[in-house]
Amino acid sequence: NAGVMQNPRHLVRRRGQEARLRCSPMKGHSHVYWYRQLPEEGLKFMVYLQKENIIDESGMPKERFSAEFPKEGPSILRIQQVVRGDSAAYFCASSPVGTSTDTQYFGPGTRLTVL
Amino acid sequence: DQQVKQNSPSLSVQEGRISILNCDYTNSMFDYFLWYKKYPAEGPTFLISISSIKDKNEDGRFTVFLNKSAKHLSLHIVPSQPGDSAVYFCAASDYSGGGADGLTFGKGTHLIIQP
């Protein structure tokens, strides 16, 4: 039973390029969360999605960042025109139902480096 | 504005002794608390959780205590083992309060188990 999968594990981009991060939730999970961890910081919530729906994007920067979770395929976190400050570890988590006591299971993360 | 605080960046404990990791929170709407363990270059791994209606939850060597009046929780690991060396994150949620649907994390405590 595979866990949450994220790819790529490492991504290097130059300033102004686009970054696409992928997340496949655990089998049977229909809720996906994205978090960002800056160096020496805790994880910061970005967005919560269900299939084809963005439920809560209160943690997403207003510009350049977008997320989707299509009916088929992985969830995608897209960062347009990356800047050095976007360098961070991006973690995806999934849960089966999305209730208040629903544990979120995390993937290994994608480490984005912007040159 | 840090709503979940882990004031000890690191903690060193001898193997076989008790490790106590502390966490304070400021948002009284938080109703569910979790502890995650994280090794370098990996995603956080769920350890144990507690609902705000309880004051203690135990799972093997791990016990979490919640003091709602003090807005404080702690994770006890006994006996501590070398494999417990990792960064421990405290996280909280307020799903029922209508807040963000993601978890709010502390900055983490690096636990080092000395042989």
Side-chain angles (χ1 to χ4, degrees):
Chain A
N1 185 15
V4 178
M5 299 177 70
Q6 289 188 250
N7 69 81
R9 293 292 305 273
H10 300 274
L11 182 62
V12 179
R13 285 287 177 267
R14 296 192 181 279
R15 280 181 297 169
Q17 291 184 319
E18 179 180 287
R20 280 186 181 235
L21 290 65
R22 294 174 186 76
C23 169
S24 296
M26 285 179 71
K27 188 176 179 181
H29 288 194
S30 58
H31 299 250
V32 166
Y33 309 78
W34 284 94
Y35 294 82
R36 175 166 66 176
Q37 184 183 23
L38 295 170
E40 310 302 323
E41 296 285 324
L43 283 73
K44 294 279 196 287
F45 167 73
M46 299 180 75
V47 62
Y48 163 41
L49 311 102
Q50 295 177 28
K51 286 281 187 183
E52 300 184 281
N53 282 307
I54 296 174
I55 306 302
D56 181 354
E57 56 182 348
S58 58
M60 284 276 268
K62 295 286 184 269
E63 297 176 349
R64 302 186 298 108
F65 285 72
S66 62
E68 62 176 9
F69 189 15
K71 187 176 179 182
E72 301 291 336
S75 175
I76 307 284
L77 179 67
R78 183 180 174 209
I79 312 172
Q80 294 178 291
Q81 299 172 358
V82 296
V83 301
R84 289 222 172 102
D86 297 332
S87 295
Y90 292 82
F91 292 97
C92 165
S94 73
S95 65
V97 181
T99 65
S100 63
T101 57
D102 205 17
T103 300
Q104 295 179 24
Y105 295 90
F106 284 81
T110 293
R111 275 139 194 90
L112 172 66
T113 302
V114 179
L115 301 177
Chain B
D1 177 30
Q2 273 241 284
Q3 296 188 65
V4 177
K5 298 177 185 177
Q6 293 178 257
N7 292 320
S8 298
S10 67
L11 174 67
S12 186
V13 174
Q14 236 179 346
E15 183 179 355
R17 307 292 288 264
I18 183 171
S19 295
I20 300 176
L21 295 98
N22 293 304
C23 177
D24 298 293
Y25 61 96
T26 58
N27 187 343
S28 57
M29 299 301 292
F30 285 146
D31 54 12
Y32 193 61
F33 304 89
L34 309 91
W35 284 94
Y36 283 86
K37 173 181 177 179
K38 187 180 181 301
Y39 293 118
E42 294 185 12
T45 302
F46 170 73
L47 269 179
I48 192 168
S49 62
I50 188 166
S51 164
S52 59
I53 62 173
K54 293 187 174 182
D55 55 21
K56 178 183 173 181
N57 189 25
E58 194 171 348
D59 184 1
R61 296 186 299 116
F62 303 93
T63 304
V64 56
F65 295 92
L66 175 62
N67 182 335
K68 278 173 50 181
S69 61
K71 294 192 180 69
H72 176 84
L73 62 154
S74 61
L75 173 68
H76 293 213
I77 307 172
V78 56
S80 300
Q81 299 174 354
D84 296 331
S85 295
V87 177
Y88 288 78
F89 289 99
C90 171
S93 73
D94 68 341
Y95 290 124
S96 58
D101 288 310
L103 299 172
T104 302
F105 281 82
K107 290 189 176 184
T109 296
H110 185 192
L111 176 64
I112 302 161
I113 305 302
Q114 309 239 348

